[in-house]
Amino acid sequence: MTAQTKKRGAGESGNGGIATALAGFVSNNEDLGPIVRHSFESGKPEALFHNLRGIAKRKEVEIEELCRLHYEEFILAVDELRGVLVDADGLKAALSGENLRLQEVASALLLKLDELLELYAANKNLGEALATLKIILQITSLCQVCNRDIAGGKFHTALKTLELIEKDYLQNIPLKPLKNVVQKQIPMMKLYIEKKVSGEFNEWLVYIRKFAMEIGQASIRQASLDRQKDEGMRARQREAEECSRVGFDEHAYALDVEYIDEESTLEFDLTPVYRAYNIHICLGLGEKFREYYCSNRLMQLNLDMQISTAQPFLESHQHFLAQVAGFFIVEDRVLRTAEGLLSESQVETMWEASISKVTTILEEQFTRMDAANHHLLVKDYVSLLAATMKKYGYQATSLLEVLEKNRGRYHELLVSDCRKQIQAVFAKDSYERMVIKKENEYNMNVTALQLEPIQVVPDLPYVAPFSSSVPGVCRIVRSFIEDLVSYLSYGVMMNSYDVVKRYLDKLLIEVLNDGLLKSIHSGSLEIAQLVQIAGNIATLERSCDTFLMHAAQLCGLPKRLLEKPHSGLTARAVLKASQNAAFNGLITLANSKIDEFMLLLTSINWTAEEAPEHANDYMNEVLIYLDMVVSTAQPVLPREILFKVVSGALSHISDSIITVILSDRVKRFNVNAVAGIDIDLRLLEEFAEDRFHSTGLSDLRKQTSFKDCLVEIRQLTNLLLSNQPESFMNSAIREKNYGSLDQKKVAIICDKFRDAPDSLFGSLSSRNMVQNARKKSLDVLKRRLKDFS
């Protein structure tokens, strides 16, 4: 009894120890294996299970408590977040309302400010008018003394007479009433003379404002002629440089008298200005007249700076800019000839203010224009304005800077126009080789675009290697280059070739190449169309050098600089990659079309009673299609690509036949069906061998011919028709005659193959002995293939 009690106490203490150890192991994430092993070894797993259940229950309670605590915090966080969202929406609405109220208040204040400025200007004008009227009222009596001189328009003489009266006679007049009358009449006569010359000057102001536009137009037209002369001179200089690289040209230094001409300018009359200014100086009012002249001319300038809203800026920009040019050409003449009337600082201040307003107007109008040709028209006239004003000593850099800032916008519009034009060209193209029947058509579509290296017109009709979209695209690209060079010329940038090259690369890659890729991947093209697209890309790739040469010529870059390495376009490599994509698409399209014909392969009789005498229908369709592919691709594609397309199609045919035989659609087949496949292969091999030589691919001396692409199905057919098929397991014979065959595929095919057709009287055939021998050999092959697998 004592021993049993001690044993039971030890067991209970052991269970308590297991519970403690188990709890420690679980809390420390340690391995429970030793405790479990000990429990089972001691024969008391129930205590272990009891403790594990207890731990599990405690953990479940802890998990539930933890989930409850975090769930409440999550709900509080969500509620707080929703409150924040509501506050954010309220703050957003408040900010929006404040913004609207601020805009309303600011708009009203701006209107009030404009009204205040107008009142200030009107007040100034009224003050000057009142001062002038006061002077005019004093001058009316002076005309009675100098009536004869004034009637004859000799105002300077009349003023000399009045001066003589004032100095020599006025103080000596004995009669005070007469003295008083003369004293009153002299200021009045001076005022009359001032009024008279001021009237003539005002008439001149009206005349010169109307005539300023013609002055500006004539000067800008002269700047255009000077630019054409410079361009012609540079063109002849480049031609002479190119000739000097080849040899001396006797015409390179000939004098062209056509360009020896004096500069034509439009004359205008400044006599009223000179006369009014001299009279006012004699009257001691020179400063007043200077102010009067500046204020009136400034008002005229402000009127000239207001563009018309009744017509588009594209129609009015020439009149607007010519008016500004005419105004400052007149001011330049006045500054140089009417000494003291204007100062250089005054003219410079007016010019800076005006050019700032002009640049603001141009920036605003450029942002509104949505056509690249509109930008170009305005740009050309602005650059001519800058050249004209620079000739008269004005700083016009800000005008050119506006054009430079607008270059990105112009390029976007120009690329957009080109994208639409190129898309239209691609949409109209049927992707058939272009047939040119007339010489003028050849010159327009080939020679002018330099699409052929030989400039001699070939025999007509001429079948071009490209379709109608290629000349259209080339014209669009050349027009893009010309418009871009035209925009960049005579601007801030001296060397525009690098910019043109970068933009040309962007056009060819992002517009032309993307359009070609969309056509290639559209999935709606026939094989002939895809072949023609590949040929078109080859022509366009070669034209990249022509485009670059055209850009260099327009930018005045010598040809020798283009001969340096790394001077070509990146687009050429991109187009080459797109051409490879077209080739891959061509191969995929050809194989997919062949797959349609190969579907007929499953409909043939695989267990025919007799061997067929002719090829199966699917093979006739395949041969017709392959002949069409070769005849279409041969004149357009390079021979390497032609080989790749045709060899890929033949390999695909071979793989397709084997795939059909391996598939579940063919449960079994006999030797007659194999004989039919053999007839199909002979026709296909004959076609492959003929086209390999007729297309000139044999001259490439490739290690693989078209016929070699059919080697797998040929070896399989030979094996199935062999009298000793078991020889396949001979490694030497297999390497020599069946090296392309896979043993696993052969095993599957042999399981389906029946040497003789299923016939009730098949055993009575005269070929029974041969068939039995072949069948035995085939059975041996099947067993050995199974053993091998």
Side-chain angles (χ1 to χ4, degrees):
M1 293 295 292
T2 304
Q4 290 178 355
T5 303
K6 289 182 179 180
K7 187 175 184 181
R8 188 180 301 113
E12 290 175 356
S13 64
N15 292 338
I18 291 174
T20 304
L22 186 62
F25 274 50
V26 170
S27 62
N28 296 329
N29 291 326
E30 297 181 1
D31 186 15
L32 301 179
I35 296 179
V36 173
R37 190 181 303 110
H38 174 73
S39 298
F40 278 95
E41 288 176 354
S42 62
K44 295 180 180 181
E46 290 82 5
L48 175 65
F49 293 153
H50 177 72
N51 291 325
L52 287 174
R53 290 190 191 98
I55 292 173
K57 288 180 180 181
R58 287 194 298 274
K59 292 297 180 179
E60 287 176 357
V61 172
E62 292 177 2
I63 290 171
E64 289 176 358
E65 181 67 20
L66 182 63
C67 290
R68 184 182 64 79
L69 293 176
H70 283 282
Y71 179 74
E72 292 174 355
E73 292 176 0
F74 176 73
I75 291 175
L76 292 175
V78 170
D79 292 339
E80 183 178 356
L81 179 59
R82 293 182 64 183
V84 171
L85 289 176
V86 172
D87 295 341
D89 291 337
L91 180 59
K92 182 179 179 182
L95 288 176
S96 178
E98 291 298 329
N99 182 39
L100 291 175
R101 286 193 292 274
L102 180 60
Q103 290 182 356
E104 292 176 358
V105 172
S107 300
L109 291 177
L110 288 175
L111 292 175
K112 293 294 183 180
L113 180 60
D114 293 339
E115 293 177 0
L116 181 60
L117 292 176
E118 291 179 358
L119 290 176
Y120 280 149
N123 184 31
K124 182 180 179 182
N125 294 337
L126 289 174
E128 293 177 355
L130 289 174
T132 303
L133 288 175
K134 185 177 179 180
I135 295 173
I136 292 174
L137 289 175
Q138 294 174 357
I139 290 178
T140 53
S141 63
L142 188 60
C143 61
Q144 296 178 2
V145 180
C146 300
N147 190 27
R148 182 181 58 192
D149 293 335
I150 294 174
K154 300 177 181 179
F155 300 125
H156 190 269
T157 305
L159 289 175
K160 291 295 183 182
T161 303
L162 289 175
E163 183 181 1
L164 181 62
I165 293 173
E166 284 182 315
K167 289 182 178 181
D168 298 341
Y169 298 100
L170 183 60
Q171 299 299 329
N172 298 328
I173 296 176
L175 298 175
K176 188 176 182 179
L178 180 61
K179 180 179 180 181
N180 293 334
V181 170
V182 172
Q183 286 178 339
K184 293 180 180 179
Q185 293 297 324
I186 288 174
M188 295 176 66
M189 294 302 293
K190 289 182 178 180
L191 188 59
Y192 174 81
I193 293 174
E194 181 186 359
K195 179 180 178 181
K196 194 69 176 177
V197 296
S198 296
E200 294 177 357
F201 174 71
N202 290 335
E203 292 177 358
W204 177 85
L205 286 175
V206 176
Y207 151 79
I208 203 63
R209 184 166 187 263
K210 293 180 179 179
F211 198 57
M213 183 184 297
E214 297 181 18
I215 296 171
Q217 289 175 342
S219 300
I220 292 175
R221 189 163 48 248
Q222 182 62 42
S224 178
L225 293 175
D226 294 341
R227 180 176 293 181
Q228 293 175 7
K229 293 178 184 178
D230 294 339
E231 291 175 353
M233 185 178 301
R234 284 196 294 269
R236 291 195 300 275
Q237 183 179 2
R238 289 195 300 268
E239 183 179 356
E241 290 177 355
E242 294 299 328
C243 292
S244 65
R245 296 178 61 191
V246 181
F248 178 77
D249 185 4
E250 60 180 359
H251 302 289
Y253 303 96
L255 181 63
D256 193 347
V257 296
E258 180 182 355
Y259 292 95
I260 301 179
D261 188 13
E262 295 182 357
E263 181 179 335
S264 60
T265 56
L266 194 62
E267 296 295 333
F268 49 92
D269 187 17
L270 292 178
T271 302
V273 180
Y274 302 147
R275 186 177 183 182
Y277 182 49
N278 289 329
I279 293 298
H280 279 80
I281 290 177
C282 292
L283 292 173
L285 302 174
E287 184 62 29
K288 178 184 177 181
F289 181 76
R290 282 190 287 270
E291 294 178 359
Y292 182 75
Y293 177 87
C294 291
S295 63
N296 279 274
R297 289 295 282 164
L298 188 58
M299 284 190 293
Q300 286 187 339
L301 179 60
N302 292 332
L303 291 174
D304 294 339
M305 298 304 296
Q306 297 177 4
I307 61 175
S308 174
T309 57
Q311 59 182 153
F313 184 74
L314 183 66
E315 299 177 4
S316 62
H317 75 280
Q318 293 189 3
H319 299 290
F320 168 68
L321 298 176
Q323 187 75 31
V324 174
F327 178 90
F328 284 99
I329 290 172
V330 173
E331 294 305 283
D332 176 72
R333 179 74 65 84
V334 172
L335 175 65
R336 290 187 290 107
T337 57
E339 184 177 356
L341 179 57
L342 284 175
S343 64
E344 292 185 3
S345 61
Q346 288 176 314
V347 177
E348 189 67 26
T349 301
M350 284 193 298
W351 169 251
E352 290 178 356
S354 300
I355 207 66
S356 176
K357 184 67 178 296
V358 170
T359 54
T360 303
I361 292 174
L362 288 176
E363 289 176 352
E364 181 182 358
Q365 295 298 327
F366 277 141
T367 58
R368 296 179 180 179
M369 293 181 188
D370 55 359
N373 58 338
H374 294 175
H375 281 255
L376 187 59
L377 289 173
V378 176
K379 175 267 168 187
D380 287 340
Y381 211 78
V382 171
S383 64
L384 288 173
L385 172 65
T388 301
M389 303 317 295
K390 185 177 180 181
K391 185 170 62 175
Y392 286 95
Y394 294 100
Q395 290 291 333
T397 307
S398 57
L399 288 174
L400 302 179
E401 290 176 351
V402 171
L403 301 179
E404 182 66 19
K405 290 179 183 178
N406 185 60
R407 186 181 71 188
R409 168 70 174 165
Y410 171 74
H411 177 254
E412 291 177 1
L413 294 175
L414 187 60
V415 169
S416 177
D417 291 344
C418 291
R419 179 179 283 107
K420 294 177 183 177
Q421 295 173 14
I422 290 175
Q423 289 174 352
V425 168
F426 285 159
K428 293 180 181 178
D429 195 3
S430 60
Y431 296 108
E432 297 177 356
R433 295 179 66 185
M434 193 173 182
V435 180
I436 300 176
K437 299 179 180 180
K438 297 180 181 180
E439 183 176 350
N440 61 340
E441 293 181 1
Y442 182 86
N443 293 332
M444 180 177 62
N445 294 307
V446 180
T447 305
L449 302 176
Q450 300 180 10
L451 295 179
E452 291 290 348
I454 303 176
Q455 299 297 326
V456 179
V457 178
D459 295 334
L460 299 177
Y462 170 72
V463 181
F466 47 81
S467 63
S468 61
S469 62
V470 172
V473 168
C474 289
R475 290 191 191 93
I476 294 170
V477 174
R478 291 171 73 91
S479 176
F480 171 85
I481 295 171
E482 293 165 1
D483 290 344
L484 190 58
V485 171
S486 178
Y487 189 89
L488 294 175
S489 59
Y490 304 102
V492 178
M493 188 176 300
M494 299 302 296
N495 184 14
S496 60
Y497 172 74
D498 293 336
V499 179
V500 174
K501 180 182 176 183
R502 184 172 68 252
Y503 283 149
L504 176 59
D505 243 341
K506 191 174 181 181
L507 174 74
L508 295 177
I509 295 173
E510 297 182 0
V511 178
L512 177 59
N513 186 68
D514 288 355
L516 290 170
L517 288 177
K518 287 181 181 178
S519 299
I520 292 170
H521 300 307
S522 64
S524 60
L525 297 176
E526 298 293 336
I527 191 75
Q529 293 176 319
L530 200 53
V531 167
Q532 190 57 60
I533 288 179
N536 290 351
I537 295 176
T539 304
L540 292 172
E541 179 198 351
R542 293 193 301 271
S543 298
C544 287
D545 292 339
T546 305
F547 297 149
L548 206 58
M549 188 71 69
H550 186 56
Q553 184 179 4
L554 293 177
C555 294
L557 194 70
K559 291 183 180 179
R560 63 178 180 273
L561 297 181
L562 295 179
E563 298 172 358
K564 294 182 178 181
H566 309 294
S567 62
L569 291 170
T570 308
R572 184 159 191 173
V574 177
L575 287 173
K576 187 70 175 177
S578 298
Q579 188 182 30
N580 293 332
F583 294 152
N584 295 332
L586 182 61
I587 294 172
T588 303
L589 182 60
N591 291 343
S592 64
K593 188 67 176 178
I594 288 173
D595 287 339
E596 296 178 10
F597 299 132
M598 297 306 292
L599 292 176
L600 300 174
L601 184 62
T602 59
S603 63
I604 67 174
N605 189 357
W606 291 96
T607 57
E609 294 291 337
E610 296 181 358
E613 297 180 359
H614 305 288
N616 291 301
D617 293 338
Y618 81 93
M619 185 53 62
N620 295 327
E621 297 291 339
V622 168
L623 290 175
I624 293 172
Y625 181 72
L626 287 177
D627 183 65
M628 184 274 294
V629 171
V630 173
S631 60
T632 302
Q634 182 180 357
V636 179
L637 298 183
R639 290 191 295 178
E640 289 284 349
I641 304 303
L642 177 63
F643 176 82
K644 186 176 180 181
V645 172
V646 179
S647 62
L650 293 173
S651 298
H652 188 69
I653 293 171
S654 175
D655 295 340
S656 298
I657 295 174
I658 294 176
T659 301
V660 170
I661 297 175
L662 289 169
S663 67
D664 294 337
R665 289 174 291 181
V666 178
K667 301 297 183 181
R668 61 177 181 170
F669 63 98
N670 58 26
V671 69
N672 292 334
V674 177
I677 297 295
D678 181 63
I679 295 174
D680 297 341
L681 279 179
R682 292 182 188 277
L683 288 176
L684 192 58
E685 288 170 340
E686 181 181 353
F687 171 85
E689 195 68 16
D690 176 69
R691 293 302 184 272
F692 186 71
H693 293 284
S694 63
T695 55
L697 293 174
S698 58
D699 299 337
L700 298 178
R701 297 183 179 180
K702 286 185 170 290
Q703 296 180 354
T704 304
S705 66
F706 286 162
K707 188 176 179 180
D708 295 334
C709 299
L710 303 169
V711 64
E712 185 177 6
I713 185 61
R714 166 48 64 194
Q715 290 181 0
L716 178 62
T717 305
N718 291 342
L719 175 62
L720 296 177
L721 294 177
S722 172
N723 291 327
Q724 294 181 340
E726 63 178 318
S727 62
F728 176 79
M729 299 308 297
N730 187 312
S731 59
I733 296 175
R734 185 172 63 248
E735 182 68 24
K736 179 181 179 181
N737 298 330
Y738 310 109
S740 298
L741 295 180
D742 180 76
Q743 294 189 21
K744 293 182 179 180
K745 293 181 180 180
V746 172
I748 296 172
I749 293 172
C750 287
D751 283 341
K752 297 182 179 184
F753 182 61
R754 301 294 181 268
D755 182 55
D758 296 335
S759 175
L760 183 61
F761 304 99
S763 61
L764 302 177
S765 173
S766 60
R767 295 177 295 174
N768 187 32
M769 297 297 294
V770 177
Q771 290 178 355
N772 288 336
R774 182 187 301 165
K775 186 176 183 304
K776 291 179 180 179
S777 178
L778 183 62
D779 292 339
V780 172
L781 175 62
K782 290 179 181 180
R783 288 195 303 270
R784 297 185 65 182
L785 286 173
K786 288 181 180 181
D787 296 339
F788 177 78
S789 61

